[in-house]
């Protein structure tokens, strides 16, 4: 019997996760040793210097012991920094892990999940693994929130609602009023998951609603997800966290996770990163400057760029994005060509240092000038 006949139908039907092109392959293809990787929204400014020291100490301490399964010190540090009790904090191996745990804890086959399109692939993949149905609410033509479409979708009675703010891949953010309208339309049956993977980049904006403040005292279940992968520059160590509306929800997620899901060096790295507010502030400041500069330059070259409150840009190249991405790969630059229906001419490019961004702008505008749509 072939092994494939053992695989559950829901799993066999899943598309593979698209991590973007492999840097080694792009290096070989382009003949350049220095590849500019703009495909995963990583921080070009790296982690706080305190992180390397914390990881070094964690490793020197020995790797033969299991990590703290409760992540107590990290949960307490997060709780203190946000002024929430540590028993409402839940840790994940990246916040992706928490998306998965939420699906495992909540979804029965046939349940409905509502999220946005274009959106983050795992907001769809993990529900489908559980046999849930996924309804994707399209954004408006201006990449805003379609309040009527959201109200109609929520009226269908979803069990889980995945909402990213700012949104990946568009970088657009919901303001306080838009978030409030969605929250008011939530049916009693729904758990709201507010995915703030890029929240640190938007928080300085006066109209960005901090999820914890917006949802406090809501009287229904919710969880805000955040991560050390993006603004803190720790994508490689895999730590994310959730702040749940109540301790019981956090404990339910604990029951469905592997007991040692966040390793010891990762816990120590996150504690160190959390303690360096200056590094975070500098990363956010420099990112905002570069986002504005690159968006302006691409706009001047005639490309449509979605206004971004995150650390990446969603760019309409006006021609098949796969073709543009291939050309960029030949130049040693990796971006993500978008594949969702209606967005096949878009690429998503993360911000890097200003030198790398200049190379990207020059190559992309050159490709678009040369290539007739
Ligand atoms: C990057 C990202 C995450 C999580 O990343 P982790 O590295 O797993 O913490 C979650 N949601 C969105 C929308 C993202 O873009």
């Amino acid at each position: 019997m072939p092994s494939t006949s053992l695989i559950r139908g829901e799993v066999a039907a899943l598309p593979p996760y698209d991590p973007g092109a492999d840097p080694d392959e792009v290096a070989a293809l382009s003949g350049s040793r220095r590849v500019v990787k703009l495909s995963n929204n990583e921080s070009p400014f790296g982690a706080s210097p305190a992180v390397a020291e914390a990881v070094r100490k964690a490793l020197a301490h020995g790797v033969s012991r299991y990590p703290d399964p409760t992540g107590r010190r990290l949960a307490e540090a997060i709780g203190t920094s946000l002024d929430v009790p540590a028993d409402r904090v839940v840790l994940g191996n990246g916040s992706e892990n928490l998306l998965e745990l939420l699906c495992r804890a909540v979804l029965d086959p046939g349940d409905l999940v509502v999220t946005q399109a274009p959106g983050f692939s795992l907001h769809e993949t993990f529900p489908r693994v559980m046999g849930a149905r996924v309804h994707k609410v399209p954004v408006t033509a201006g990449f805003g929130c379609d309040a009527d479409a959201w109200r109609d979708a929520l009226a269908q009675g979803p069990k889980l609602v995945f909402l990213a703010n700012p949104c990946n891949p568009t970088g657009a953010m919901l303001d306080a009023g838009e978030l409030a309208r969605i929250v008011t339309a939530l049916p009693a049956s729904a758990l709201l998951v507010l995915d703030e993977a890029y929240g640190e980049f938007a928080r300085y904006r006066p109209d960005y609603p901090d999820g914890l403040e917006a949802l406090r005292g809501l009287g229904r279940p919710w969880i805000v997800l955040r991560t050390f992968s993006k603004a803190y520059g720790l994508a490689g160590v895999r730590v994310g966290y959730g702040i749940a509306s109540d301790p019981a929800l956090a404990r339910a997620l604990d029951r469905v996770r592997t007991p040692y899901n966040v390793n010891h060096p990762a816990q120590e790295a996150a504690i160190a990163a959390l303690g360096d507010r200056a590094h975070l502030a500098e990363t956010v400041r420099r990112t905002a400057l570069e986002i504005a500069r690159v968006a302006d330059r691409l706009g001047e070259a005639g490309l449509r760029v979605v206004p971004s409150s995150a650390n990446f840009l969603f760019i309409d190249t006006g021609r098949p994005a796969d073709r543009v991405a291939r050309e960029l790969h030949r130049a040693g630059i990796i971006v993500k060509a978008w594949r969702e229906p209606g967005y096949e001419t878009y690429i998503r490019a993360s911000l890097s240092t200003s030198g790398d961004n200049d190379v990207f702008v020059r190559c992309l505008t050159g490709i678009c000038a040369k290539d007739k749509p």
Side-chain angles (χ1 to χ4, degrees):
M1 193 170 72
S3 68
T4 47
S5 63
L6 300 169
I7 306 301
R8 289 168 48 223
E10 293 89 347
V11 176
L14 289 176
Y17 180 75
D18 171 21
D22 176 67
D24 290 338
E25 283 172 20
V26 170
L29 181 73
S30 64
S32 61
R33 270 186 301 140
R34 226 180 67 78
V35 165
V36 176
K37 185 164 174 265
L38 308 178
S39 44
N40 297 89
N41 302 342
E42 296 151 337
S43 175
F45 308 116
S48 158
V51 166
E53 178 60 14
V55 170
R56 197 189 55 74
K57 272 202 197 134
L59 293 175
H61 186 69
V63 291
S64 54
R65 305 260 181 217
Y66 283 101
D68 173 6
T70 65
R72 189 178 50 81
R73 284 180 54 241
L74 175 56
E76 279 172 3
I78 290 167
T80 303
S81 78
L82 299 172
D83 198 22
V84 294
D87 65 358
R88 284 171 45 203
V89 176
V90 55
L91 302 178
N93 191 268
S95 55
E96 292 169 359
N97 184 205
L98 294 164
L99 295 170
E100 182 194 10
L101 298 181
L102 282 157
C103 291
R104 268 205 254 170
V106 167
L107 294 176
D108 285 311
D111 280 345
L112 180 67
V113 174
V114 170
T115 187
Q116 193 164 267
F120 185 51
S121 63
L122 298 179
H123 290 169
E124 177 174 7
T125 303
F126 290 140
R128 283 177 55 188
V129 170
M130 304 303 298
R133 296 167 294 135
V134 180
H135 177 87
K136 295 196 270 185
V137 180
V139 298
T140 64
F143 293 92
C145 173
D146 187 335
D148 292 342
W150 267 97
R151 203 194 43 229
D152 293 348
L154 294 175
Q156 309 294 310
K159 196 90 159 285
L160 264 183
V161 176
F162 285 124
L163 182 61
N165 195 28
C167 166
N168 175 7
T170 68
M173 69 165 215
L174 298 173
D175 65 23
E178 288 167 325
L179 178 61
R181 269 196 296 283
I182 289 177
V183 168
T184 330
L186 283 170
S189 62
L191 168 60
L192 173 64
V193 182
L194 190 59
D195 185 339
E196 294 188 340
Y198 303 97
E200 288 84 3
F201 296 112
R203 203 151 291 129
Y204 72 93
R205 294 175 184 268
D207 47 347
Y208 178 74
D210 182 294
L212 288 181
E213 281 169 32
L215 301 176
R216 181 178 297 145
L218 188 62
R220 62 164 75 247
W222 53 264
I223 186 165
V224 171
L225 301 185
R226 293 182 182 169
T227 180
F228 286 95
S229 296
K230 307 287 165 50
Y232 289 96
L234 290 187
V237 304
R238 316 302 302 125
V239 196
Y241 60 96
I243 294 83
S245 50
D246 56 279
L249 176 55
R251 294 300 76 77
L253 297 179
D254 278 340
R255 280 200 290 277
V256 292
R257 68 180 170 86
T258 57
Y260 304 104
N261 62 336
V262 183
N263 68 63
H264 179 57
Q267 292 185 25
E268 294 300 319
I271 291 169
L274 200 59
D276 191 346
R277 307 305 296 176
H279 180 79
L280 177 68
E282 184 61 7
T283 297
V284 169
R285 188 186 70 81
R286 292 170 73 180
T287 301
L289 286 176
E290 276 300 298
I291 280 275
R293 191 179 71 85
V294 174
D296 278 353
R297 287 191 55 194
L298 293 173
E300 282 159 17
L303 291 163
R304 183 180 185 205
V305 181
V306 182
S308 174
S309 301
N311 66 339
F312 52 85
L313 291 170
F314 200 45
I315 304 159
D316 188 0
T317 67
R319 51 207 30 85
D322 268 330
R323 199 161 85 205
V324 176
R326 257 194 321 274
E327 285 296 317
L328 287 168
H329 292 167
R330 279 196 201 109
I333 299 168
I334 311 181
V335 299
K336 254 196 195 181
W338 218 251
R339 303 218 161 89
E340 279 179 277
Y343 300 95
E344 297 97 333
T345 59
Y346 283 75
I347 57 171
R348 192 197 66 196
S350 322
L351 263 287
S352 186
T353 53
S354 54
D356 283 352
N357 293 336
D358 287 344
V359 173
F360 166 64
V361 168
R362 202 163 52 239
C363 283
L364 178 61
T365 52
I367 289 165
C368 292
K370 200 162 75 230
D371 176 276
K372 294 286 157 271

